Amino acid sequence: MAGVALLLFGAAGAHILARAIAVPPIPLLLLAGVALSGTGLLEPVLLEDSLILGVAFLLFATGTELEAGQTAALRRATLRVGMLQIVVLALLGSAVAGLLGFGAVESAYIGLALTASSTLVGIRLLRSRKQIFEPFGRLVVGVLLLQDVFVILLVPLVTGGRGGQAGIAGDVAAIAVLLALAWSFRRWITPRLARLDGDMEGMLLVSLATLFGFVTLAGGLRLPVVAGAFLAGFALARFPFRSMLRSRLAPVADFFAAIFFTALGALVSIPTAPELGLAMLFSALVIGATTPLVVWISERVGFFSARPALEAGLLLSQTSELSLIIGLLGMLAGDISQSVFTVIALVTVLTMTLTPFLTSDRVVWWLMRLHPLRAESRSPPPAGGHIVMLGSGTTGMPLVETLLAAGNDVVVVDDDPAVIARLREADVPCIRGDASDVEVLHAANAQSARLIASTIRRPADNLRLLEYARGVPVLVRVFEEEDADRIRELGGMPVLYSEAAAESLMRWLHRAPPRSLRRSPQSAKNEASAKRNPGSTSSPSSTASSLSTRRLPPGS
Amino acid sequence: MTESPILRDLTWVVTAAAAGLLLARAVRLPPMVAYMVAGLVLGPLTGLVAVGESVERISEVGIALLLFLVGLELSLDRIRDIGRVAVLAGAGQILVTAAGGFGLATLLGFTPVAAGFIALAVTFSSTVVVVKLLEHRGELTSLHGRMAVGILLVQDVVVALALTVLAGIGGSGPAGAVAVTAGLGRAFAGTVLLAVVAFLAARWALPRLFAWLARSQEAVFVWSLSWCFLLVLLAHALHLSVELGAFAAGVALAQLPHNEDLVRRVQPLVDFFLAVFFVSLGIRLDPGAAAGSLGAAVALSLFVLAGKPLVVMLLLPRFGVGGRTAFMTGLYLGQTSEFSFILASLGLAAGLIDHALLSLIGVMGLATIGVSASLIGAAGRVGDAAAAAGLLQPLGPPDPAGPLPPDAEPGGHAIVVGMNTLGRRLAGELVDRGHDVLALDVDPAKLRGLPCRTMAADAEQPAVLAQAGLARAGLLISTLQIEDTNRLLAYRARAAGVPACIHAFDASLVRELEELGVAHLMVSKHEGIRQLATELRRLGVID
């Protein structure tokens, strides 16, 4: 029990520090583990148990995130970005490692470890910044999961369960069998499991039984735990069961994750200077190679313009918890030395710690200056007195047409190439670029416009726009009341689309009220009397008092 | 790593537990019974699994977490809410049942020490089983439900003390009275110290720490667990039981606001670890040894099944509780507890009882929990029939509230999930139109100043939706901008036959939501463009 308690303290301390300095917790958990191993109070059996269970739960949780909820275009972009990143980084990593004098096997491990980007860090950052539903957010999530799949499927081949040519064929066959099983389970059994909704304990235990069953099966097929656990998660990753499971699984997974990373840290040796140097070199490689690669591909595929591509690239520039697991497996199999494992761990710590900083607004805008193509326009700059529409999307096209029909000069700014293509076909002057980029606003001659209508998503970008376009009436589409207030303070005119959405619901209710929805007879009378005497208003106090007595006491 | 003992053991244990649980649900038995039977199958019956060190460690963690959870539920509000009736009735019940149990055990020929353990085992009822049954039947807020929970909480406090005493006795070994008294004294001193530490922390350190961490749920969770284990280590150092430390830690945290969220997070962890505990308990049972004292087992089980409820049914009306409520409360309390096993395990470890007695207590637990759960299933009907036949007259006057639970909902209300600007606007407009509205949000700060009923909870949990009365609702509205939660809400609304209006905050989500049979979609971006057009018209830019 003392060992478990110690691991938990280490984890707790790491979480506090992570909160204080705004860094992902994983690197600090590793460091906590390093510190704890110095005390000598952690028994090897406990560490082993923590590592095994941690790996199983971590990959199980990752596997449950695998759901094919993407559009065709996004899937293509994801595939290209993901595959290219894997291939290039793996080759580059292995090549550099080979050049530095590592053996073939060790270089392969290093290459594979450098490939994966961190699902935990990436998704957490996207969620906390509420960017997970933006197109680049969806791309990043897709790429992360794709990488997980590939790396996990490649792991058995690298660790070589059987060895030799026949061994590799055997491994591939084993993976195929397990995959087929997981796929069938997901197709036929998981939909039935949705019946367990409401039985929280049953849902959890059935899922855990699935996890351990697959893990044991994987063991029987001479595949590592990672493959079994991941495929178990995949087998259960189907709506609605997956969503129902998430709230039950998360605490268990968090518990084992905390213990896992701390225990892992205990296996890392205190780094020597050359190891530190190597770690910095590989970290630079990961960051330096990933971002330009992602930006280049995104432009090629025509999926994004500069800024989201840059943000996606930076968000993918770190190594992963999977890298740590690969290192661990390699070290336990005797394929790599503890020194190499330490280097991999250090690279992970460095790159994960840097990610929040790299993806911050300031850094992104600084790097944007290096981008060759920020504002792409094929029409001459507008003369003035025109209407600028920032971010139209497909939803905004009818509005653009209406504006043109009323005889206005319109310039549309959007970063979606499909939208730009359609606009150009219709001979509408448009600029492809990020609507909050000053260069783009310059190209649109926004300061001489008659009116600017902004459907830009991020509140901070809208504020920047208002600063730039003083003197021009600016209509800004916002959702939250607080954002509307801030827009008003800076002289803009907010358009609350939450209000519009509410009105749409009330109109529907008026037109087709569901029979199950009850109305209190008191207010029905009020409304009837209000209709009869249009001048008088129904008394709010009576309805308010009848409702206030039904308010639940606090804390119940 | 592929040949690891812990994975192999856990695979057997968890699979057996899951299978057992599904079977138990089918026959409406509590899961605890299923786990122990599964353990019996795995261990004594087939010899497939022996309890290794790793599984043992998981079981220990499970017990500690269970007591942590029990402590967490013990917020001062709850205690005040229950009132003196439960405290007095609970104390009375413990005394009478313990005395009766001790007497019966002595009559059956057990030694005083063994009889003492049997008395302890018989006295407590199962918090886990009763709360789960109440929740399952939706009777947690009923009068008899709250009364039962109150008595159980009183029992939990006594259990914690019993564990301390046991640790005190166990620590000094089978020595003379002086050593035992010294041990007890040390144990009590240690308990006081523990209580002081917990109290001080709950007053000064913890609220600030948790307020600061509040935004990150994961950090709060990890910290709560490590706080629990901190006190566990302290208890260990003070020669107290591990469980007492965990209990104190839980009580300390129970006084903080928003502990329901923490309870919900700890629950799955407890479910998992406890399942392992009960299966491993079943593995260690020796039915052969218990068969030797079958008569005693039957007698004691009958005492628990019939005698204990009777004690409660007779005690409660003395404090002014109505006849039917007393009957229902008594019925719910007619089984032994998971603590009976835990206390017995500790007794075995301390050398105070033998393996046969442990198995006897185990078998008794299995039998009483199984039977009482079935009885409770029929409780409502039995209670009404008994009341009608006038059988409950000697117990006391009929309940003033009548057969309906006092806070039944009329239904037909609108549930609005997500109090962002859209949610708040909708809540206000629906109230103006005369509808009954319940506003739900995870963040209590967003629920301030609303003209309707509110609930601070996570709408993803089915228990929350049940509490919000989804089954009787007239409409479910979600204004959230979270794809997964919206889909789940739409699914659950459809399953409950309630029309749903979902916020489709991105055009790509429309198709899936339509497939889920949503009654109306708020495609906010489309509406936003329409509103933009209106504004432009107003500014004279278009006509």
Side-chain angles (χ1 to χ4, degrees):
Chain A
M1 196 71 104
V4 176
L6 218 58
L7 282 175
L8 274 173
F9 295 153
H15 271 283
I16 288 224
L17 205 57
R19 269 289 278 169
I21 60 180
V23 150
I26 295 178
L28 293 173
L29 288 167
L30 286 173
L31 293 176
V34 175
L36 282 176
S37 70
T39 65
L41 287 169
L42 297 172
E43 320 124 36
V45 178
L46 171 67
L47 284 179
E48 202 183 298
D49 288 348
S50 309
L51 290 171
I52 294 176
L53 288 180
V55 168
F57 278 99
L58 209 62
L59 280 154
F60 181 55
T62 311
T64 58
E65 300 272 352
L66 262 183
E67 223 194 344
Q70 291 181 328
T71 61
L74 189 61
R75 220 174 292 162
R76 252 180 291 132
T78 304
L79 218 65
R80 288 192 206 169
V81 173
M83 290 309 298
L84 212 70
Q85 190 197 343
I86 292 174
V87 171
V88 170
L89 271 181
L91 289 177
L92 215 58
S94 313
V96 172
L99 281 171
L100 288 169
F102 290 100
V105 176
E106 290 191 322
S107 301
Y109 269 93
I110 292 176
L112 199 59
L114 291 182
T115 280
S117 308
S118 174
T119 315
L120 290 179
V121 170
I123 294 190
R124 182 198 301 262
L125 271 174
L126 282 172
R127 281 216 177 107
S128 70
R129 293 178 185 166
K130 308 227 171 117
Q131 293 169 341
I132 204 161
F133 295 113
E134 296 193 24
F136 90 91
R138 288 174 191 268
L139 178 82
V140 168
V141 173
V143 167
L144 287 171
L145 292 174
L146 181 71
Q147 285 177 351
D148 286 343
V149 171
F150 262 87
V151 169
I152 288 167
L153 294 180
L154 284 176
V155 161
L157 301 182
V158 174
T159 59
R162 293 176 187 68
Q165 286 270 347
I168 296 206
D171 283 334
V172 172
I175 293 176
V177 166
L178 207 58
L179 199 62
L181 222 79
W183 191 85
S184 323
F185 191 101
R186 180 189 163 118
R187 180 105 198 279
W188 283 298
I189 304 186
T190 304
R192 301 224 169 85
L193 291 177
R195 268 185 243 157
L196 287 169
D197 193 20
D199 180 2
M200 308 258 73
E201 197 174 344
M203 207 182 293
L204 180 69
L205 280 178
V206 167
S207 314
L208 293 181
T210 312
L211 165 64
F212 286 109
F214 267 88
V215 164
T216 308
L217 207 60
L221 290 168
R222 304 279 199 84
L223 291 172
V225 170
V226 289
F230 188 73
L231 286 173
F234 168 67
L236 294 173
R238 215 188 145 115
F239 182 81
F241 187 70
R242 185 185 72 110
S243 314
M244 296 169 182
L245 178 62
R246 201 153 42 112
S247 57
R248 292 316 271 185
L249 189 59
V252 182
D254 285 347
F255 175 79
F256 283 107
I259 292 196
F260 170 70
F261 287 114
T262 317
L264 200 63
L267 289 180
V268 174
S269 54
I270 310 274
T272 61
E275 283 170 355
L276 204 56
L278 275 173
M280 292 207 277
L281 177 66
F282 282 122
S283 305
L285 184 69
V286 168
I287 298 175
T290 310
T291 308
L293 201 66
V294 172
V295 171
W296 180 72
I297 303 246
S298 308
E299 304 262 327
R300 261 300 129 104
V301 174
F303 201 70
F304 294 129
S305 67
R307 185 167 151 208
L310 193 59
E311 289 181 317
L314 289 168
L315 208 53
L316 291 170
S317 302
Q318 80 282 116
T319 54
S320 163
E321 53 276 11
L322 272 185
S323 320
L324 294 171
I325 293 177
I326 291 170
L328 179 68
L329 289 176
M331 189 169 70
L332 290 176
D335 289 337
I336 64 174
S337 63
Q338 194 188 27
S339 175
V340 174
F341 176 64
T342 305
V343 171
I344 293 178
L346 277 177
V347 172
T348 310
V349 168
L350 283 171
T351 51
M352 277 190 183
T353 312
L354 282 173
T355 302
F357 168 69
L358 284 176
T359 52
S360 66
D361 250 7
R362 254 185 309 151
V363 175
V364 171
W365 279 115
W366 186 83
L367 286 170
M368 278 285 281
R369 283 194 262 137
L370 301 170
H371 198 284
L373 207 66
R374 282 163 73 179
E376 189 205 333
S377 168
R378 293 200 195 144
S379 19
H386 54 292
I387 311 245
V388 178
M389 183 122 173
L390 296 176
S392 102
T394 27
T395 339
M397 297 277 241
L399 188 58
V400 174
E401 286 165 24
T402 316
L403 283 168
L404 287 168
N408 294 292
D409 280 325
V410 179
V411 173
V412 181
V413 173
D414 204 290
D415 59 10
D416 186 344
V419 172
I420 296 288
R422 276 179 65 182
L423 287 167
R424 283 186 182 148
E425 263 176 59
D427 263 332
V428 177
C430 53
I431 300 176
R432 183 174 162 210
D434 192 276
S436 57
D437 191 349
V438 166
E439 286 253 332
V440 172
L441 292 174
H442 237 56
N445 205 356
Q447 279 168 334
S448 326
R450 176 180 168 198
L451 176 90
I452 303 177
S454 160
T455 59
I456 296 175
R457 231 181 242 108
R458 299 187 205 174
D461 292 347
N462 278 315
L463 296 177
R464 209 178 301 135
L465 166 70
L466 285 168
E467 293 279 344
Y468 175 82
R470 286 181 190 273
V472 180
V474 182
L475 280 173
V476 182
R477 191 184 65 174
V478 283
F479 191 78
E480 294 280 3
E481 195 79 61
E482 310 99 57
D483 296 329
D485 290 335
R486 257 188 284 158
I487 304 268
R488 264 184 224 114
E489 277 168 32
L490 285 172
M493 293 180 276
V495 174
L496 273 166
Y497 68 106
S498 47
E499 204 177 271
E503 275 168 33
S504 92
L505 184 76
M506 298 313 290
R507 277 198 303 267
W508 171 76
L509 260 185
H510 191 79
R511 228 181 28 236
R515 254 178 298 154
S516 49
L517 188 62
R518 189 174 48 87
R519 271 176 92 167
S520 77
Q522 174 66 33
S523 50
K525 257 193 271 165
N526 285 343
E527 208 173 276
S529 74
K531 281 204 197 115
R532 271 186 270 120
N533 327 346
S536 71
T537 47
S538 61
S539 59
S541 54
S542 54
T543 25
S545 59
S546 67
L547 286 168
S548 64
T549 51
R550 310 189 84 221
R551 199 175 294 183
L552 291 170
S556 65
Chain B
M1 231 200 224
T2 52
E3 301 296 325
S4 128
I6 188 176
L7 282 180
R8 197 184 48 227
D9 287 346
L10 274 181
T11 307
W12 281 120
V13 168
V14 174
T15 315
L21 181 65
L22 291 176
L23 278 170
R25 294 287 190 229
V27 270
R28 293 182 194 254
L29 279 178
M32 223 167 90
V33 172
Y35 298 150
M36 289 186 61
V37 170
L40 277 173
V41 168
L42 281 181
L45 252 66
T46 55
L48 278 169
V49 182
V51 176
E53 183 192 337
S54 309
V55 173
E56 182 77 51
R57 198 202 320 262
I58 292 183
S59 306
E60 278 173 20
V61 174
I63 302 169
L65 285 177
L66 173 67
L67 270 125
F68 179 58
L69 192 65
V70 169
L72 266 180
E73 307 256 14
L74 217 62
S75 66
L76 282 171
D77 281 349
R78 282 268 181 91
I79 303 177
R80 254 183 254 134
D81 190 36
I82 293 152
R84 27 178 295 284
V85 175
V87 173
L88 292 172
Q93 178 263 317
I94 292 174
L95 286 170
V96 174
T97 317
F102 187 81
L104 183 59
T106 316
L107 262 166
L108 289 167
F110 287 97
T111 67
V113 174
F117 263 93
I118 293 179
L120 275 180
V122 154
T123 301
F124 303 114
S125 307
S126 173
T127 313
V128 170
V129 170
V130 173
V131 169
K132 286 239 164 125
L133 276 171
L134 282 170
E135 205 175 17
H136 194 64
R137 298 164 56 82
E139 293 176 8
L140 258 179
T141 46
S142 67
L143 190 56
H144 65 263
R146 280 183 277 152
M147 196 67 69
V149 172
I151 295 180
L152 286 166
L153 288 176
V154 172
Q155 287 184 354
D156 288 337
V157 175
V158 176
V159 161
L161 291 174
L163 288 169
T164 308
V165 172
L166 206 60
I169 297 179
S172 56
V178 175
V180 168
T181 322
L184 277 177
R186 193 175 52 206
F188 273 110
T191 311
V192 169
L193 182 61
L194 195 69
V196 166
V197 168
F199 176 73
L200 287 177
R203 206 67 199 294
W204 309 113
L206 291 176
R208 242 170 265 150
L209 181 65
F210 280 84
W212 184 58
L213 285 174
R215 209 86 56 70
S216 163
Q217 279 196 325
E218 195 184 331
V220 169
F221 182 58
V222 173
W223 253 99
S224 310
L225 290 178
S226 58
W227 161 247
C228 169
F229 281 96
L230 175 68
L231 283 199
V232 161
L233 277 186
L234 183 62
H236 191 71
L238 292 170
H239 298 286
L240 296 170
S241 69
V242 152
E243 292 78 18
L244 189 61
F247 182 71
V251 173
L253 284 180
Q255 319 309 329
L256 295 174
H258 319 313
N259 67 320
E260 303 98 27
D261 210 43
L262 190 57
V263 167
R264 260 196 281 273
R265 291 211 110 210
V266 176
Q267 189 73 58
L269 215 54
V270 172
D271 287 344
F272 170 56
F273 283 111
L274 221 55
V276 175
F277 169 72
F278 282 114
V279 173
S280 65
L281 196 66
I283 294 176
R284 280 178 296 184
L285 277 184
D286 192 355
S293 32
L294 193 60
V298 171
L300 288 166
S301 303
L302 280 176
F303 176 70
V304 171
L305 283 169
K308 211 154 65 150
L310 208 61
V311 169
V312 174
M313 288 182 209
L314 291 171
L315 260 181
L316 280 178
R318 301 286 161 273
F319 298 107
V321 178
R324 191 177 180 278
T325 307
F327 176 76
M328 294 292 283
T329 313
L331 208 62
Y332 264 97
L333 296 173
Q335 76 284 113
T336 60
S337 160
E338 57 274 9
F339 293 119
S340 315
F341 307 134
I342 295 172
L343 286 166
S345 311
L346 284 177
L348 182 70
L352 291 165
I353 64 172
D354 62 1
H355 212 76
L357 189 56
L358 177 74
S359 303
L360 173 67
I361 290 177
V363 168
M364 187 173 65
L366 263 179
T368 54
I369 292 173
V371 174
S372 90
S374 323
L375 280 179
I376 290 169
R381 293 191 299 268
V382 174
D384 287 332
L391 283 172
L392 299 178
Q393 288 290 39
L395 284 181
D399 296 68
L404 255 186
D407 27 22
E409 294 238 9
H413 54 292
I415 304 176
V416 185
V417 178
M419 285 295 115
N420 50 30
T421 303
L422 176 58
R424 297 181 72 91
R425 207 162 280 257
L426 280 174
E429 300 210 12
L430 286 168
V431 163
D432 284 342
R433 250 183 128 240
H435 297 293
D436 179 16
V437 175
L438 172 65
L440 240 145
D441 198 286
V442 194
D443 185 359
K446 292 209 181 136
L447 294 168
R448 289 199 209 116
L450 284 171
C452 59
R453 287 185 292 144
T454 62
M455 200 164 125
D458 179 5
E460 270 196 358
Q461 314 271 353
V464 169
L465 287 175
Q467 220 184 328
L470 179 63
R472 299 176 305 263
L475 186 62
L476 175 71
I477 301 175
S478 173
T479 65
L480 298 171
Q481 300 190 68
I482 307 171
E483 190 175 346
D484 232 9
T485 315
N486 280 350
R487 277 200 297 171
L488 200 57
L489 284 170
Y491 177 85
R492 293 212 169 110
R494 185 173 66 169
V498 175
C501 300
I502 308 285
H503 180 198
F505 52 93
D506 198 71
S508 59
L509 303 168
V510 171
R511 197 180 50 95
E512 317 178 321
L513 288 170
E514 280 178 347
E515 277 173 21
L516 284 168
V518 171
H520 176 76
L521 280 176
M522 294 180 277
V523 191
S524 51
K525 295 224 173 120
H526 283 161
E527 305 298 331
I529 293 289
R530 220 191 290 187
Q531 200 177 6
L532 204 59
T534 315
E535 276 299 302
L536 288 169
R537 213 166 279 130
R538 189 181 64 88
L539 290 169
V541 175
I542 53 180
D543 31 50

